[in-house]
Amino acid sequence: MKFLALIRRRTEEFSDEQVARVLEPEAERVRELYTQGVFRNVFSRGDEKGAVVELECGDLDEAKKVLDTLP
């Protein structure tokens, strides 16, 4: 089953410095999930900093669990 996730940076909660520390670990995790076929497509957002991700998961709970693995 395919899901779309709209991901945005929570700039109201985290400083630019805090975000910068997790960018590379997050990118690595995204690459892993893409290689595994879980993330089918990843697009940059034009309206704010973040991404739109197409996921292939068994159900909504699985999709949420996968997204929770992102730093």
Side-chain angles (χ1 to χ4, degrees), residues 1-7 29 33 38-39 53 55-71:
M1 186 176 282
K2 291 188 180 186
F3 295 91
L4 285 179
L6 301 175
I7 299 171
R29 182 64 181 140
L33 291 167
V38 177
F39 278 15
V53 180
L55 299 91
E56 185 75 38
C57 295
D59 58 28
L60 182 58
D61 286 336
E62 181 183 344
K64 287 178 180 180
K65 287 177 185 173
V66 167
L67 291 172
D68 284 343
T69 68
L70 295 172

